[in-house]
């Protein structure tokens, strides 16, 4: 199938074959040299004159209320401009987050009186210098009426929680099928709280230039969605708010929404009429944003003697806060991964005294795959079958959850290629059977997957007289490579070298873009730029053929555009600049979006980009779209000390067409490194007495470092999938973390004979 087939399906993306142009090449990151040279300006480095500094004050109890805050000493401290708490704060209009949760009540104040978790924002101090603000914040005298908190869902008082209706799914006759299945397993798996921890913590500089014009420098994965938050809070129009976010030091899901500290800084800026800067400290990031909630999943699998799955029962629970609902969608992988004729899946959320959890790399899919892919390994042991063979037997010819055919699913190919590269055939299946000296060697494998999401995007393309091209959009690049792949896309369509294309991103004044979340942005924005660049090329050709002053006027209808020149295919080409000059222009500019053509008001169109409603704006496709990968991992466990080292990783990926294989490989490797951390290191630890987060720094909350990471081999088996997306790519960013932790847990079982079902796997689990 060629790209020309796609417009009908998407209603919006014009097609042409892009063949062997710049898109798809392993180009270097366009922004790389700026970052290496320190020339990329991050939000808090923006040179804003006259900034005041804001410091946050947080609750030190896990539940109860603030009885009083004595502000007198803080207010009298040197340099202090404002002490803010629930008593004197401006009130804002409540805004729903992008999942639709709206804070209770008809007004919103980011400072709490009723305390729902330890570390909740209760006050802020603004002073001339950061040191003054910090010193004054320490002078606030807070009196509490403390209540007993329920810090985690392991606390017996947390109870069962409430069912999430959307997570209940059943087909076939799971109970009967399980009862009759000749081979059965049942096991419970747990994952702890996990935190996003981008290297650049949250923070912002915010300035009301007039009462009704607001500028914010803040790292965000979603310029449009975050601008909507500020506009809503302050009752401003969307256009009155400008967010500038050209560089982002990582987000991993944590930077996609307006958070209470952002509201606090903006209130201070409004009340003082001065720019305010707020840098969330590393410990504060653990409560400024929730991260992944703790999860618990019980799986029952029933299979025939030949390994065919007959029944699956999935009972899940995840934590949420007492004030809002975030659902870590735990059944998401379970329902679509294999051919399961009888299934029952359900999930509760359990409110506890925590900050509201939120998206964290591969939300839902990641813990879902941990439980399921471990359970499948346990079933393989029970059946005496090779775990790859068991998966092959259960490879589904369509998506059992939706009933739709796959747009593409090259998972069998992943098994072949990665298994071969890893040497899986040489595995002795018996636990503790492979060793080197004191080291027990374990080989484990597991599968990962990620859906392909869709939303509209908008881009602007400018052709300049000097033959260069400018591409712009409010999409963002948090280290993923958006700048680079959009330059490649425009270069591809317009026949210019990538170096001639400049890309501007991360400014809410530019074309609308959806959230860089759900690993969707690359596919959506390459499609938007592709469509826009084609339109720009068409306009150029029309100009050449029809403008009275065009030297190319009245040519046969065969003008081509390549290498910055336009002309008839047989000679006679002139430069784009010459054509623009002859026709009295210094540039040609085109803006297009990928919303289906429909009557929508500007406000409705805006909503499609700044809320998740945009996902509903595109037609439902008749295919099920997912990326896949298969991880093969070797661990070495010291027999005496129980220390676990990951010594080899080979992963094959089916993520469709890769727009830039070098950057995709970085994404794949980054996810695998995070998966190693998830399996062996990462654990948010709370004080059971009061919910205080004890691991709120990078020493106690351990993430994988170079010493933990072995040689990683990544192999792409993807082929362009034009049924999945207009340019044939599938999801990349979050794919590779999914399945790493179960592959490691399965390898640890193979090495030691010990089945550890709770992450992270620690050496004490093995002694
Ligand atoms: N890519 C490609 N071919 C494709 C798809 C993607 O070459 N078919 C490459 C491109 O370089 C693209 C990158 O992979 O820029 C990621 O593309 P995509 O999968 O569309 O993901 P997004 O652009 O939507 O980025 C968000 C995604 C998410 S949701 C999280 S969480 C995450 C991730 O990206 N956070 C990251 N990767 C991250 N990488 C860095 N460095 N920092 C983060 O915070
Ligand atoms: Mo990614 S957690 O979907 O931003």
């Amino acid at each position: 199938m060629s790209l020309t087939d796609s417009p009908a399906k998407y209603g919006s993306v014009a097609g042409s074959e892009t063949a062997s142009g710049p898109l798809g090449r392993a180009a270097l990151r366009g922004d790389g040299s700026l970052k290496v040279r320190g020339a990329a300006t991050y939000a808090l480095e923006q040179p804003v004159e006259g900034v005041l500094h804001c410091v946050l004050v947080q609750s030190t109890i896990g539940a109860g209320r603030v009885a009083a805050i004595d502000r007198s000493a803080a207010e009298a401290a040197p340099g202090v401009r404002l002490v803010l708490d629930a008593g004197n704060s401006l009130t804002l209009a409540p805004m729903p987050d992008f999942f639709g949760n709206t804070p209770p009540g008809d007004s919103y104040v980011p400072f709490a009186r009723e305390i729902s978790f330890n570390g909740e924002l209760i006050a802020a101090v603004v002073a001339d210098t950061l040191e003054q603000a910090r010193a004054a914040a320490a002078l606030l005298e807070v009196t509490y009426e403390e209540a007993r908190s329920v810090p985690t869902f392991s606390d017996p008082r947390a109870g069962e929680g409430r069912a999430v209706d959307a997570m209940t799914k059943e087909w076939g006759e799971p109970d009967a099928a399980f009862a009759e299945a000749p081979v059965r397993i049942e096991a419970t798996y747990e994952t702890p709280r996990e935190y996003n921890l981008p290297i650049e913590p949250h923070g912002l500089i915010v300035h009301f230039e007039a009462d009704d014009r607001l500028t914010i420098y803040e790292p965000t994965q979603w310029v449009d969605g975050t601008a909507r938050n500020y506009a809503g809070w302050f009752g401003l129009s969307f256009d009155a708010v400008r967010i500038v976010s050209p560089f982002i030091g990582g987000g991993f899901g944590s930077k996609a929404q307006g958070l209470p500290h952002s509201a606090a800084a903006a209130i201070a800026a409004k009340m003082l009429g001065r720019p305010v800067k707020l840098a969330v400290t590393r410990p504060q990031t653990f409560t400024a944003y929730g991260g992944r909630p703790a999860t618990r999943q019980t799986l029952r699998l029933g299979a025939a003697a030949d390994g065919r799955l007959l029944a699956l029962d999935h009972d899940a629970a995840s934590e949420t806060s007492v004030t809002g609902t975030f659902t870590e969608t735990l059944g998401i992988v379970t329902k679509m991964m294999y051919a399961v004729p009888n299934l029952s899946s359900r999930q509760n959320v359990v409110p506890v005294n925590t900050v509201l959890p939120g998206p964290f790399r591969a939300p839902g899919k990641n813990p879902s795959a941990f439980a399921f892919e471990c359970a499948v390994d346990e079933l393989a042991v029970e059946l005496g079958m090779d775990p790859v063979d068991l998966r092959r037997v259960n490879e589904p010819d369509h998506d059992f959850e939706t009933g739709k055919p796959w747009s593409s699913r090259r998972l069998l190919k992943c098994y072949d290629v990665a298994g071969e590269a890893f040497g899986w055939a040489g595995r002795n299946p018996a636990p503790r059977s492979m060793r080197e000296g004191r080291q027990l060697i374990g080989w484990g494998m597991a599968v990962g997957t990620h859906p392909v999401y869709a939303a509209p995007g908008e881009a602007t393309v400018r052709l300049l007289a000097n033959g260069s091209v400018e591409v712009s959009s409010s999409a963002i690049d948090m280290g993923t490579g958006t700048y680079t792949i959009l330059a490649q896309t425009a270069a591809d369509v317009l026949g210019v070298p990538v170096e001639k294309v400049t890309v501007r991103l991360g400014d809410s004044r530019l074309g609308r873009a959806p959230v860089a979340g759900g690993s969707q942005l690359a596919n959506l924005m390459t499609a938007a730029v592709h469509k826009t660049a084609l339109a720009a090329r068409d306009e150029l050709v029309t100009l050449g053929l029809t403008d009275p002053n065009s030297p190319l006027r009245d040519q046969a209808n065969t003008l081509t555009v390549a290498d910055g020149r336009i002309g008839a295919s047989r000679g006679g080409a002139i430069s784009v600049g010459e054509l623009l000059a002859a026709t009295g222009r210094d540039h040609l500019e085109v803006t297009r979006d990928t919303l289906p053509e429909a009557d929508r008001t500007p406000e409705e169109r805006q909503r499609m980009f700044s809320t998740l409603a945009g996902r509903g704006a595109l037609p439902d496709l008749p295919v099920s779209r997912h990326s896949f990968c298969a991880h093969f991992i070797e661990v070495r466990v010291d027999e005496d000390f129980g220390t676990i080292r990951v010594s080899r990783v080979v992963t094959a990926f089916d993520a469709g067409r890769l727009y830039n294989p070098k950057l995709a490989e970085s994404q794949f490797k980054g996810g695998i490194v995070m998966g190693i951390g998830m399996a062996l290191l990462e654990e948010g630890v709370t004080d059971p007495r009061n919910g205080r987060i004890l691991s709120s720094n990078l020493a106690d909350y351990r993430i994988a470092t170079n010493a933990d990471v072995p040689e990683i081999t990544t192999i792409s088996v993807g082929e362009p999938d034009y049924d999945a997306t207009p340019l044939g790519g599938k999801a990349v960013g979050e794919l590779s973390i999914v399945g790493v932790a179960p592959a490691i847990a399965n390898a640890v079982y193979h090495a030691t004979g010990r089945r550890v079902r709770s992450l992270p796997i620690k050496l004490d689990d093995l002694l």
Side-chain angles (χ1 to χ4, degrees):
M1 177 177 294
S2 81
L3 203 57
T4 31
D5 292 336
S6 60
K9 238 172 293 156
Y10 293 88
S12 47
V13 176
S16 87
E17 193 57 67
T18 47
S20 56
L23 195 60
R25 294 219 183 115
L28 283 175
R29 281 255 291 270
D31 52 332
S33 111
L34 289 178
K35 288 183 171 171
V36 171
R37 290 186 287 115
T41 308
Y42 287 80
L44 295 189
E45 301 169 333
Q46 293 285 349
V48 178
E49 288 286 313
V51 285
L52 300 172
H53 297 264
C54 182
V55 161
L56 303 174
V57 180
Q58 301 162 285
S59 71
T60 56
I61 61 168
R65 61 187 307 274
V66 176
I69 300 182
D70 183 349
R71 316 143 49 103
S72 48
E75 278 170 345
V80 171
R81 301 284 178 142
L82 181 65
V83 178
L84 264 175
D85 62 27
N88 65 337
S89 169
L90 288 181
T91 53
L92 308 180
M95 282 300 290
D97 65 20
F98 62 80
F99 299 107
N101 289 299
T102 310
D106 43 12
S107 65
Y108 170 63
V109 173
F111 307 104
R113 269 216 181 96
E114 305 297 325
I115 301 300
S116 66
F117 64 95
N118 204 316
E120 191 164 12
L121 186 56
I122 55 171
V125 176
V126 185
D128 291 337
T129 69
L130 176 61
E131 293 74 14
Q132 288 170 332
R134 213 184 274 152
L139 297 175
L140 284 183
E141 297 255 359
V142 185
T143 334
Y144 295 101
E145 286 163 17
E146 188 168 1
R148 239 179 118 186
S149 61
V150 181
T152 69
F153 76 166
S154 315
D155 187 317
R157 288 170 305 142
E160 295 293 305
R162 56 177 183 273
V164 182
D165 289 344
M167 297 303 295
T168 305
K169 184 89 186 180
E170 189 161 315
W171 64 75
E173 297 191 15
D175 289 338
F178 185 75
E180 287 160 20
V183 184
R184 285 177 282 195
I185 61 133
E186 170 168 354
T188 298
Y189 304 89
E190 293 172 324
T191 64
R193 281 191 203 163
E194 293 160 353
Y195 293 90
N196 309 61
L197 297 178
I199 291 302
E200 174 202 36
H202 295 80
L204 66 158
I205 300 174
V206 46
H207 185 27
F208 276 88
E209 275 137 279
D211 253 4
D212 56 357
R213 274 189 48 225
L214 177 57
T215 302
I216 306 136
Y217 299 97
E218 183 173 20
T220 172
Q221 294 173 232
W222 196 7
V223 163
D224 271 81
T226 313
R228 163 180 154 273
N229 265 103
Y230 287 95
W233 280 337
F234 289 95
L236 301 173
S237 72
F238 184 89
D239 297 333
V241 177
R242 181 180 187 195
I243 297 194
V244 181
S245 180
F247 299 105
I248 300 156
F252 306 113
S254 70
K255 289 179 178 164
Q257 309 174 59
L259 295 170
H261 65 262
S262 314
I267 287 171
K270 171 125 187 165
M271 288 172 73
L272 291 164
R274 290 270 300 269
V276 168
K277 179 174 189 165
L278 167 69
V280 175
T281 65
R282 180 60 73 190
Q284 287 171 342
T285 62
F286 286 76
T287 44
Y289 180 79
R292 197 191 315 278
T295 72
R296 189 191 305 129
Q297 299 174 76
T298 299
L299 275 162
R300 296 193 299 157
L301 301 184
D306 63 2
R308 272 178 305 112
L309 283 165
L310 300 174
L312 187 162
D313 183 83
H314 176 252
D315 195 17
S318 58
E319 294 176 335
T320 187
S321 74
V322 295
T323 52
T325 300
F326 174 80
T327 307
E328 181 80 23
T329 50
L330 294 167
I332 189 164
V333 167
T334 336
K335 288 182 288 209
M336 51 62 66
M337 188 50 102
Y338 301 112
V340 183
N342 302 286
L343 176 142
S344 171
S345 184
R346 68 208 84 85
Q347 179 170 346
N348 278 14
V349 286
V350 185
V352 295
N353 293 109
T354 175
V355 60
L356 183 66
F360 174 90
R361 206 159 177 172
K365 302 108 214 170
N366 190 353
S368 180
F370 168 65
F372 194 27
E373 288 294 298
C374 285
V376 169
D377 200 71
E378 298 205 37
L379 183 65
V381 171
E382 195 66 28
L383 286 157
M385 247 178 117
D386 179 89
V388 180
D389 292 342
L390 176 58
R391 287 171 171 85
R392 285 183 193 278
V393 165
N394 288 293
E395 177 68 11
D397 61 356
H398 69 281
D399 179 349
F400 275 56
E401 181 183 8
T402 60
K404 294 177 180 178
W406 306 108
S407 65
S408 63
R409 173 164 164 140
R410 298 173 58 77
L411 193 49
L412 295 177
K413 184 84 181 163
C414 290
Y415 299 146
D416 290 344
V417 168
E420 166 87 29
F422 184 85
W424 185 257
R427 177 178 186 260
N428 180 337
R432 299 183 78 90
S433 61
M434 294 167 57
R435 65 161 65 225
E436 216 173 85
R438 279 189 4 217
Q439 289 188 328
L440 298 168
I441 295 175
W443 288 4
M445 60 82 55
V447 170
T449 184
H450 198 283
V452 176
Y453 295 117
E458 182 181 64
T460 301
V461 169
R462 270 175 152 233
L463 309 182
L464 302 183
N466 64 7
S468 64
V469 177
E470 286 176 7
V471 174
S472 66
S473 153
S474 67
I476 63 91
D477 185 332
M478 59 177 152
T480 36
T482 318
Y483 280 110
T484 316
I485 57 170
L486 296 190
Q488 290 176 272
T489 308
D492 208 285
V493 176
L494 295 166
V496 296
V498 175
E499 302 74 49
K500 287 264 189 185
V501 184
T502 314
V503 180
R504 277 189 67 204
L505 299 175
D507 184 330
S508 59
R509 295 223 171 130
L510 303 175
R512 311 272 68 95
V515 60
S519 300
Q520 63 174 4
L521 198 70
N523 291 312
L524 307 181
M525 291 313 299
T526 52
V529 169
H530 183 88
K531 176 178 181 178
T532 311
L534 283 177
R537 199 179 68 184
D538 285 352
E539 281 202 15
L540 196 68
V541 168
T542 306
L543 191 69
L545 290 173
T546 59
D547 192 283
N549 298 319
S550 164
L552 305 170
R553 192 158 182 245
D554 299 331
Q555 294 266 357
N557 195 359
T558 53
L559 295 187
T560 56
V561 181
D563 296 329
R565 299 177 73 74
I566 174 167
S569 43
R570 287 190 212 137
I574 59 171
S575 75
V576 169
E578 281 164 342
L579 174 60
L580 291 173
T583 57
R585 298 159 180 252
D586 59 7
H587 71 271
L588 187 153
E589 180 177 308
V590 170
T591 297
R592 291 284 186 280
D593 68 39
T594 56
L595 271 174
E597 306 306 332
D599 285 341
R600 284 206 173 87
T601 64
E603 291 71 29
E604 282 168 343
R605 287 182 96 77
Q606 182 59 57
R607 223 170 63 79
M608 295 298 143
F609 290 102
S610 60
T611 68
L612 285 193
R615 288 200 176 152
L618 300 186
D620 191 24
L621 296 180
V623 285
S624 177
R625 301 173 292 162
H626 298 260
S627 287
F628 297 94
C629 64
H631 303 282
F632 290 76
I633 296 186
E634 176 184 278
V635 299
R636 288 165 181 253
V637 182
D638 185 293
E639 197 172 11
D640 298 321
F641 297 121
T643 42
I644 307 163
R645 291 258 165 226
V646 176
S647 45
R648 222 149 50 86
V649 179
V650 178
T651 305
F653 295 91
D654 166 17
R657 174 188 188 195
L658 300 180
Y659 304 128
N660 183 324
K662 188 180 185 67
L663 301 183
E665 181 183 340
S666 295
Q667 289 291 302
F668 292 152
K669 287 187 170 168
I672 291 168
V673 170
M674 293 184 156
I676 293 172
M678 175 185 176
L680 301 177
L681 300 165
E682 294 188 43
E683 182 175 27
V685 180
T686 43
D687 188 328
R689 295 166 304 178
N690 56 23
R692 188 172 177 139
I693 297 171
L694 300 173
S695 55
S696 62
N697 57 70
L698 284 169
D700 294 313
Y701 186 91
R702 294 165 308 146
I703 56 173
T705 61
N706 279 347
D708 301 300
V709 179
E711 186 71 30
I712 297 172
T713 306
T714 57
I715 307 164
S716 169
V717 304
E719 293 197 341
D721 179 349
Y722 300 116
D723 289 328
T725 62
L727 299 191
K730 299 197 284 184
V732 163
E734 299 166 284
L735 169 62
S736 67
I737 192 174
V738 185
V740 175
I744 292 175
N746 297 341
V748 166
Y749 170 78
H750 182 235
T752 64
R754 234 12 119 75
R755 185 62 74 174
V756 184
R757 301 188 180 92
S758 176
L759 295 182
I761 304 173
K762 300 190 193 124
L763 51 89
D764 16 335
D765 292 319
L766 304 180
L767 295 177

